[in-house]
Amino acid sequence: MSPTYSQIDPPSRLLMGAGPANVHPRILRAMATDVIGQMDPEMTAYMDETMALYREVFQTKNHWTLLVNGSARSAIEAALVSLVSPGMKVVIPRIGRFGLLLTEIVHRCGGIPCTIDVEWGQVVDPAAVEAAIIEHKPGLVAAVHGDTSTTTAQPLAEIGAICRRHNVLFYVDATATLGGMEFKTDAWNIDVATAGLQKCLGGPPGSAPITLSDRAVEAILRRRHDEAGIATGQPQGDGPVIQSNYFDLAMLMNYWSPARMNHHTEATSMLYASREAARIVVEEGVDARVERHTRAGRAMVAGLRAMGLRVYGDDATRMANVTGVWVPDGVDNARVRELMRKDFEIEIVSSFGPLTGKIWRIGAMGVNAQKHKVLLTLAAFEAVLAGEGFNLPRGAGVDAARAAWDAA
Amino acid sequence: MSPTYSQIDPPSRLLMGAGPANVHPRILRAMATDVIGQMDPEMTAYMDETMALYREVFQTKNHWTLLVNGSARSAIEAALVSLVSPGMKVVIPRIGRFGLLLTEIVHRCGGIPCTIDVEWGQVVDPAAVEAAIIEHKPGLVAAVHGDTSTTTAQPLAEIGAICRRHNVLFYVDATATLGGMEFKTDAWNIDVATAGLQKCLGGPPGSAPITLSDRAVEAILRRRHDEAGIATGQPQGDGPVIQSNYFDLAMLMNYWSPARMNHHTEATSMLYASREAARIVVEEGVDARVERHTRAGRAMVAGLRAMGLRVYGDDATRMANVTGVWVPDGVDNARVRELMRKDFEIEIVSSFGPLTGKIWRIGAMGVNAQKHKVLLTLAAFEAVLAGEGFNLPRGAGVDAARAAWDAA
């Protein structure tokens, strides 16, 4: 007997966790558009326009600004597998779980990770990165911008300048911050940056923008080896073969070039979503969007503190779009999350590793970085905590957040 | 100055090429649904239901039937990188471009491809596969079912039996046939099969179903090494580390298990699409759907022949859902395709490698494997060919196709 299931009809839930956030309705409507052929002129025009739009989102002049077809970590792996050849040393400043992920992927690529660790909640001193570059002579420095596991953002400008001075390529995972925090690919001397749609860009998970500097492209093209079924006699590289076909950025760039070497079939609906997400960012303006996320983060912190809660991490390096807050003594982390979901249809989340069960993370990103969503989330959170016996001044959180949002 | 672009609004084109085909409207509507959190109970329930639905689509009892987040070739690479360890021999019967792709990926995984080649348009004799197994003692046989580059389908049942007899794992790329031609994972002794949504399953490109037998799972779990940031102390394997993180099926299975180890963020909208696509297949019935595609292919072949054209390949091994047809002398392949698009908004395509410019490929799959779409495509094709000076009996193609569709 065949299984029978009803049509997709999930609850209308407010996603104030660490991502995915709710999707902008315009992006949902874009995805509901029928597909066209991958080599049709309208499709390749959409690809070119998507490149132009993401140049603005990434604040870069990089020609090679495109999409990897997969979740955010697909672009992380595409960047690393294309840049890291076997035996290459990679310096990795680590501020949380996603620094561990970079280490893991470098290791699987045959690279040698040289890690710089700090206590979770802290960031890495650029001087430590420079010392590691001098000690290890790496081919690459790979860092996470905002690590949602610790709600902390690593300052990048100084590290970028150091990398450029020492002529080392610099990769940054900007999944959790692009479109929500200041991120200046060119000004910060970042050679490769990757992201995902499902955080501050306001789209669904499953498409991963990437941008590559000319220096990075040169390094990758030295490893160009087109697959036999589609090669067209273009010049090949003499470097080691990239160990992934799907993530081979040399071939992906060719597919996104006028040559249109037919690598994979572009994920059309996710391309529509990615293009629409960037179009919304550009219409709002990158600076205005960052300002909106900054207000949301500031309001969240003010509200949580007014409720008598202790906010996680340092004010100076806190992410704007995800706020960590310590679970007070005597309150059950999981039960509070469940009540937020059941009684208020609001998702908040916990964290990983040493922070499992110790903090909640409350996000406000993309279409959710709006005043009313922050205030309503705090109102619900207050009610749940009060119901769980936590002693707090009723109404103070919402009032403080409201004032903080409006502050200049 | 920011670039400004209009909203997504492609032409309403009939996609009768080699895929993607037009998307079923129900799937488009499913994608327009807002996302929910990846660990929300409704989301994990959708994941479990998707597994159950694809078991029916793949005609298997395999528990491990899930999605890889990417284009069809993402699942090919996930299967091969998880199964093929460095130095492992892999026997690859090759009937077209996608056999070259399997070779390429095996090579990049550090495996040793042992290829069996035939002239394009032919299929591989199972006896040759058995001889290669005896000669090379491979760890895996990897084959393509329907290779769209040659519009030819490799018979699989006998090869599957041979693999089982010699205790060799059997991987099949069913991207172009699943949901449109008979495909029996269990009955044909296939250990791992992968597909894509954008052909006979009627969805958009960008999600890749995969099914794994217990034998395959056992081999993959020997290589299980959970990444440091998310490991939960479950037993690890003692085999070589899988060289990709994103495509590590041991971790992906864990994410799709009740343990829900938080690997990547599932591509929610594409999961909605994949689930709806399978729901439509199951509602129609796999056998009825295959029958519909069979009629479409039969009608297409009859119509093309009645127009005086030579159909590519052998009747016995021709794919149902994509038909190749030789370009007649004096007719320009590219110009005909352009006129089909410009005057009729119908996409047909050429092919690759030795067949570049030599044949057209006309597909009828998913929602496009319908009588009226086949007939209207042939009517348009006739008009364009006649306009290009090809001498044909007007009306004969459509009449023949109409009769062939209705034949028992």
Side-chain angles (χ1 to χ4, degrees), chain A residues 166-177:
Chain A
H166 289 275
N167 198 27
V168 178
L169 291 173
F170 186 29
Y171 162 75
V172 175
D173 169 12
T175 302
T177 54

Side-chain angles (χ1 to χ4, degrees), chain A residues 73 77 108 244 248 263, chain B residues 73 77 108 244 248 263:
Chain A
R73 74 167 60 195
E77 185 157 324
R108 292 192 185 214
S244 169
D248 182 326
H263 183 251
Chain B
R73 74 167 59 194
E77 184 157 324
R108 293 194 185 213
S244 170
D248 182 325
H263 183 251

Side-chain angles (χ1 to χ4, degrees), chain A residues 66-289:
Chain A
L66 55 148
L67 302 176
V68 177
N69 287 178
S71 299
R73 74 167 60 195
S74 74
I76 300 175
E77 185 157 324
L80 293 177
V81 79
S82 298
L83 289 168
V84 178
S85 46
M88 180 190 284
K89 288 185 176 171
V90 181
V91 166
I92 307 174
R94 307 201 289 190
I95 61 168
R97 170 192 161 183
F98 291 100
L100 299 177
L101 175 62
L102 299 187
T103 311
E104 153 94 8
I105 295 175
V106 166
H107 178 67
R108 292 192 185 214
C109 295
I112 301 168
C114 309
T115 58
I116 305 170
D117 286 313
V118 290
E119 200 182 332
W120 278 31
Q122 303 301 308
V123 297
V124 172
D125 182 352
V129 176
E130 183 155 35
I133 289 175
I134 291 166
E135 181 187 347
H136 298 296
K137 304 197 189 329
L140 182 71
V141 170
V144 174
H145 187 207
D147 197 314
T148 51
S149 66
T150 62
T151 68
T152 301
Q154 172 69 48
L156 297 171
E158 204 177 330
I159 296 177
I162 290 167
C163 288
R164 191 58 53 102
R165 201 157 62 233
H166 289 275
N167 198 27
V168 178
L169 291 173
F170 186 29
Y171 162 75
V172 175
D173 169 12
T175 302
T177 54
L178 192 73
M181 288 184 71
E182 188 178 60
F183 189 85
K184 297 185 177 301
T185 302
D186 291 356
W188 294 351
N189 293 298
I190 294 167
D191 290 296
V192 181
T194 65
L197 285 199
Q198 79 276 17
K199 311 267 185 184
C200 302
L201 296 174
S207 178
I210 184 171
T211 187
L212 302 130
S213 73
D214 291 346
R215 291 149 39 98
V217 169
E218 196 183 309
I220 292 167
L221 289 183
R222 281 198 292 272
R223 303 180 64 184
R224 179 174 176 184
H225 295 89
D226 296 343
E227 66 182 73
I230 56 176
T232 55
Q234 296 175 65
Q236 303 292 293
D238 55 8
V241 174
I242 294 166
Q243 72 178 24
S244 169
N245 173 289
Y246 190 72
F247 292 133
D248 182 326
L249 287 173
M251 287 200 281
L252 289 179
M253 286 188 282
N254 203 284
Y255 178 39
W256 285 73
S257 81
R260 300 284 170 206
M261 189 175 70
N262 182 15
H263 183 251
H264 61 290
T265 302
E266 184 62 18
T268 321
S269 308
M270 291 307 298
L271 177 103
Y272 291 172
S274 306
R275 181 182 173 283
E276 189 67 7
R279 209 164 67 97
I280 293 167
V281 173
V282 169
E283 283 173 15
E284 179 174 10
V286 171
D287 291 345
R289 194 175 178 92

Side-chain angles (χ1 to χ4, degrees), chain B residues 218-300:
Chain B
E218 197 184 309
I220 292 167
L221 289 183
R222 281 198 291 272
R223 303 180 65 184
R224 177 173 178 187
H225 295 87
D226 296 343
E227 67 182 73
I230 55 176
T232 54
Q234 295 174 66
Q236 303 292 293
D238 55 7
V241 174
I242 293 167
Q243 73 178 22
S244 170
N245 172 290
Y246 191 72
F247 292 134
D248 182 325
L249 287 173
M251 286 200 282
L252 289 179
M253 287 188 281
N254 202 284
Y255 178 39
W256 286 73
S257 81
R260 300 285 171 207
M261 189 175 70
N262 181 16
H263 183 251
H264 61 290
T265 302
E266 184 63 17
T268 321
S269 308
M270 292 306 300
L271 176 104
Y272 291 172
S274 306
R275 180 181 174 283
E276 189 67 7
R279 209 163 68 97
I280 292 167
V281 173
V282 168
E283 282 173 17
E284 178 174 10
V286 171
D287 291 346
R289 195 175 178 92
V290 168
E291 165 71 12
R292 177 162 63 79
H293 283 81
T294 303
R295 280 180 191 273
R298 190 171 65 204
M300 193 74 82

